[in-house]
Structure formats: structure tokens, C-alpha cells
């Protein structure tokens, strides 16, 4: 299905079609084509946008059904204009279901998102009264969306991290012939993710911290916490702590690094300042990455 971008015109057409579908109890797509609608309503575009925003859903061959979200949207429409409250509902659904590119910029402030919206999308936000006002309800609306976007981003990063850990588990089992201990499943306080061994013949423990990224190698980074650095530098961990960097953009590439190799990229505390997290670029070790089947 072709994706339709939000505009005042498209939203109004979809609302008029949704209202007519509910009023006439029309569930057949062929019947929707016969509904009496105001002049200028493009039924194909209106129906596609209503389904795209989950106001209507497919309900078997040639049929549609109104969703709970569609019923809530329709209840706020009086058949004429779209008020600010209804616009905010529409925009929330559009962001949630259609995932416009600018949604990722919302946590950085509404102006940052506004800069990459289309003119029609900007107009919809103005109609909703969401661009210039600093009223509490407006600030809360943006803060709610920002929190949702941060949650999605963190969940995605967690998924990428787990993927790297699974790859490390499989890699270590192939390398040593022994299934390693997946410590990060049990606790995040160890300062490493996986407990393996030096080799099939050497049972000395190997502590592995895994960093993964799906970004291109040139822009990928590893976030190193102070706790990880401290565990890596413990005297009894000398020589047996490793960082596994997985570059997952377009394949599987791995760089295995010692704590000493990362140490030169870690800042020092100065005066009363104390660092907690440092960002280290994968590109600093570009020549160390090898393809892993």
C-alpha cells in the first residue's frame, strides 16, 4: 500500500469517509465506493490513510472494520472542522503508526522535529496549537512523545546489544568447544557480559564485554561505562578482560580488543570532575575487524 503523508486535506478527507462508514454501517469496500461524500473527497486516498493510521482495518476479503482508535477519532469529529484536541489525537496516531522520519528528533526539542517536516505536516501542528505555545498541556504533550521516542530508541539499542551477545555466545562456543556463561542475563552489575575461557585447552576465565552497532563502521560507537573500565583494570583481571566490538551493518564483523587497547581512549578525572560514560568510535579500530560467518 502506498504511504500517504499527513496534510490538512488528507486528514479531512479520511475523517469524512470514516464518519460516513460509521453512519451507514458500511463494511464492504465496494459499498464505500458508493457512499455519498462531499465533493472533492478522494475515496482511494481517504481509505488508504484511514487504514494507514489504524482507524480502519482489513476484515476479510473486500471488507473493513472500524478500530477502537478509529471510533475515538470519529467521536471527536463534528462533520465540519478539526479542532486542536482532535488534531492532537490524529498527530499522536500518525506518529505512532506511520513513523515519519522526524519523529526520532522529537526528544531533541519540537523545533528540531519541525525543521524536517513537510510544509503540510507543519501546518497540521499549527492547527493543533502545538508549535508556539508553552502552555502546560502543550509541553506535556511534547514531553509524552519525547519519552515514547526515547523508550523506542532504548529498546532498539537493547535489541542490538542482545544480538551482539548472542553472536558472542555462539562465537565463543565454536572457539572453545564449551558453552560460556551469559552473565548479563543474570545481572548488569558484573562489569562484563559473558564469562568464557582462554581456549579449549586452557580453562582460565575470560571476561568479555560486548559492544554492538548496526550503524556504518565510520559512525558506530561503543559506550564504555566507568564500571566496565574499573572491572577491566582490576589486578586479577589483567590480561583476561576482552572487548568484543560487533559491526552489524550489512553483515557480521568482529574486533577483539584488550583493556589496554581501549585504555588510551578513556579520559582521566580532573579536579572534582568525574567521567561516568565515554563514547569510543569503532573507526579507531577499523583495521581490527574481521568477517565472522
Amino acid at each position: 500500500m502506498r504511504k500517504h503523508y499527513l496534510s490538512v486535506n488528507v486528514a479531512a478527507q479520511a475523517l469524512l469517509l470514516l464518519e460516513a462508514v460509521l453512519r451507514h454501517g458500511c463494511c464492504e469496500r465496494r459499498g464505500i465506493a458508493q457512499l455519498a461524500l462531499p465533493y472533492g473527497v478522494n475515496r482511494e486516498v481517504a481509505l488508504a490513510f484511514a487504514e494507514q493510521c489504524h482507524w480502519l482495518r482489513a476484515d476479510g476479503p473486500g471488507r473493513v472494520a472500524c478500530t477502537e482508535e478509529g471510533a475515538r477519532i470519529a467521536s471527536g469529529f463534528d462533520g465540519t472542522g478539526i479542532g486542536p484536541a482532535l488534531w492532537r489525537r490524529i498527530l499522536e496516531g500518525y506518529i505512532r503508526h506511520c513513523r515519519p522520519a522526524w519523529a526520532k528528533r522529537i526528544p531533541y526539542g519540537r523545533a528540531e522535529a519541525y525543521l524536517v517536516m513537510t510544509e503540510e505536516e507543519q501546518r497540521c501542528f499549527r492547527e493543533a496549537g502545538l508549535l508556539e505555545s508553552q502552555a502546560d498541556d502543550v509541553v506535556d504533550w511534547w514531553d509524552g512523545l519525547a519519552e515514547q521516542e526515547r523508550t523506542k530508541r532504548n529498546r532498539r539499542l537493547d535489541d542490538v546489544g542482545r544480538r551482539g551477545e548472542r553472536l558472542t555466545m555462539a562465537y565463543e562456543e565454536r572457539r572453545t568447544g564449551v558453552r560460556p556463561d551469559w552473565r548479563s542475563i543474570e545481572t548488569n552489575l558484573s562489569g562484563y557480559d559473558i564469562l568464557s575461557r582462554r581456549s579449549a585447552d586452557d580453562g582460565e576465565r575470560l571476561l568479555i564485554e560486548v559492544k554492538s552497532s548496526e550503524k556504518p563502521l565510520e559512525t558506530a560507537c561503543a559506550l564504555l561505562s566507568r564500571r566496565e573500565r574499573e572491572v577491566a583494570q582490576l589486578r586479577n583481571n589483567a590480561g583476561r578482560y576482552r572487548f568484543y566490538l560487533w559491526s552489524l551493518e550489512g553483515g557480521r564483523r568482529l574486533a577483539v580488543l584488550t583493556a589496554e587497547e581501549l585504555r588510551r581512549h578513556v579520559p582521566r578525572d580532573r579536579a572534582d570532575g568525574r567521567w561516568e560514560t565515554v563514547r569510543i568510535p569503532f573507526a579507531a579500530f577499523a583495521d581490527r575487524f574481521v568477517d565472522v560467518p
Side-chain angles (χ1 to χ4, degrees), residues 80-99:
T80 56
I82 307 176
L86 181 55
W87 266 122
R88 294 180 192 185
R89 287 187 189 176
I90 292 171
L91 287 166
E92 287 173 358
Y94 178 69
I95 292 169
R96 182 168 63 254
H97 298 302
C98 303
R99 303 298 303 146

Side-chain angles (χ1 to χ4, degrees), residues 95-258:
I95 292 169
R96 182 168 63 254
H97 298 302
C98 303
R99 303 298 303 146
W102 45 261
K104 296 178 181 179
R105 298 175 67 96
I106 291 176
Y108 302 102
R110 63 183 176 185
E112 297 300 324
Y114 179 84
L115 287 172
V116 291
M117 294 178 191
T118 66
E119 290 186 7
E120 279 297 324
E121 288 169 330
Q122 292 171 352
R123 183 183 172 194
C124 295
F125 274 87
R126 285 195 294 271
E127 294 286 335
L130 291 168
L131 290 181
E132 296 181 359
S133 172
Q134 296 181 358
D136 288 346
D137 63 319
V138 173
V139 173
D140 290 345
W141 190 89
W142 283 106
D143 283 349
L145 282 183
E147 181 59 30
Q148 291 175 28
E149 289 301 316
R150 281 190 288 267
T151 298
K152 290 175 185 175
R153 180 177 182 275
N154 290 338
R155 186 180 301 123
R156 178 60 182 162
L157 291 175
D158 287 345
D159 290 343
V160 173
R162 287 300 191 206
R163 183 183 171 197
E165 290 173 10
R166 289 189 177 93
L167 289 171
T168 301
M169 290 288 291
Y171 178 87
E172 284 299 293
E173 187 167 7
R174 289 195 305 270
R175 187 181 68 82
T176 67
V178 178
R179 179 74 173 173
D181 183 3
W182 196 348
R183 294 303 303 154
S184 63
I185 292 292
E186 308 301 332
T187 176
N188 285 323
L189 302 179
S190 298
Y192 58 93
D193 297 314
I194 290 169
L195 183 61
S196 187
R197 56 190 287 157
R198 280 199 180 275
S199 68
D201 300 323
D202 187 343
E204 183 184 14
R205 295 194 307 171
L206 198 67
L207 285 59
I208 302 172
E209 176 62 30
V210 182
K211 304 295 182 183
S212 313
S213 178
E214 291 182 333
K215 293 182 178 180
L217 191 64
E218 296 75 19
T219 58
C221 287
L223 292 181
L224 177 67
S225 72
R226 189 179 191 91
R227 172 63 176 164
E228 292 159 359
R229 196 283 301 265
E230 289 174 344
V231 172
Q233 288 190 331
L234 289 175
R235 180 176 299 178
N236 62 339
N237 289 339
R240 60 192 187 96
Y241 195 104
R242 296 290 185 273
F243 289 93
Y244 279 29
L245 308 187
W246 285 96
S247 175
L248 304 177
E249 193 260 343
R252 301 173 181 174
R253 304 187 69 206
L254 172 64
V256 178
L257 306 170
T258 66

